[in-house]
Amino acid sequence: MRKPLVMGNWKMHGTRASVHKLLAGLVSEGAPASVDVAVCPVFVHIPLAVSLCEGSALAVGAQDCSHMAEGAYTGEVAAAMLVDSGCHWVILGHSERRQYHGESDDMVAAKLAAALAAGIAPVVCVGETRDEREAGEAEYTVARQLQGALRGQASLHSLVIAYEPVWAIGTGLTATPEQAQAMHAFIRGQLEALPGLDAAAVRVVYGGSVKPDNAAELFAQDDIDGALVGGASLDAQDFQAIVAAAQG
Ligand code: 13P
């Protein structure tokens, strides 16, 4: 039995004041013991979020990390620094990083290796563009991204995969539960081919316009183990409703 994970990706939003407000609402409400809940603010808001979440059921994650352990890499943040700052999770290979920062599968693999070495739990994002889906290449793209990131890693403990079809991110278009389930099952099949990984135990979460009104039907699918939530995670009530839907 996989424990659902609902993670808010706040992207490049917020001020110290809005982080206070949002987390005051989430922390006072608490999180059900049957769901893992996390929020991922921008780097500079991580210390504040960690201190506000202390003693609560909410974990904090980062939206990215460096592929290097330390050194002359201006502007980068190492995975071990995130652990040292109280982060439990790190999102890797988000489509916005692939699109706007040219992150290749090789770069995602290097970041994953760095995250695993530092002992932070990685959420590796995969997903096809609209063109790729319309060309019938969705599975090919997702398989390439998975293989590119995961093959050859020394260990994949604590791995989570997020399937985020690019055409569903921030667009209001959601994959239908059937479309999402089909891809999640495909992803689990790909994971089965990796040596030393218990694919049945790996959480595969869905991302792309998850809202309170579509979360329950997504979570009802066999291979959907939670959500990576963008826009709706900036509203405490909406995020809490999505967390509640994950309780089943
Ligand atoms: P939206 O929920 O805003 O579509 O964003 C999804 C996402 O990119 C989460 O990482």
Side-chain angles (χ1 to χ4, degrees), residues 84-132:
D84 189 43
S85 298
C87 284
H88 181 81
W89 296 100
V90 63
I91 299 170
L92 297 174
H94 192 280
S95 62
E96 287 149 15
R97 300 233 29 110
R98 295 178 190 263
Q99 185 179 352
Y100 305 126
H101 303 274
E103 269 187 23
S104 63
D105 293 334
D106 285 351
M107 178 55 82
V108 178
K111 289 185 174 196
L112 176 58
L116 291 165
I120 193 166
V123 178
V124 174
C125 301
V126 297
E128 78 286 358
T129 63
R130 179 190 283 251
D131 284 353
E132 287 163 337

Side-chain angles (χ1 to χ4, degrees), residues 19-114:
V19 169
H20 264 283
K21 187 158 174 258
L22 187 47
L23 285 179
L26 294 177
V27 167
S28 70
E29 193 70 21
S34 58
V35 183
D36 282 339
V37 183
V39 295
C40 301
V42 294
F43 286 132
V44 293
H45 291 154
I46 285 172
L48 174 61
V50 168
S51 79
L52 291 170
C53 291
E54 206 174 336
S56 81
L58 262 72
V60 176
Q63 299 172 17
D64 185 30
C65 73
S66 173
H67 63 300
M68 300 303 285
E70 74 167 317
Y73 301 99
T74 302
E76 293 282 82
V77 177
M81 296 168 181
L82 298 174
V83 173
D84 189 43
S85 298
C87 284
H88 181 81
W89 296 100
V90 63
I91 299 170
L92 297 174
H94 192 280
S95 62
E96 287 149 15
R97 300 233 29 110
R98 295 178 190 263
Q99 185 179 352
Y100 305 126
H101 303 274
E103 269 187 23
S104 63
D105 293 334
D106 285 351
M107 178 55 82
V108 178
K111 289 185 174 196
L112 176 58

Side-chain angles (χ1 to χ4, degrees), residues 9 11 94 164 168-170 208-210 228-231:
N9 174 8
K11 306 195 180 184
H94 192 280
E164 298 205 308
I169 295 177
S209 298
V210 177
L228 185 51
V229 185

Side-chain angles (χ1 to χ4, degrees), residues 208-227:
S209 298
V210 177
K211 307 284 180 222
D213 60 2
N214 61 20
E217 53 178 0
L218 286 162
F219 297 157
Q221 305 299 312
D222 283 351
D223 288 290
I224 300 184
D225 306 315

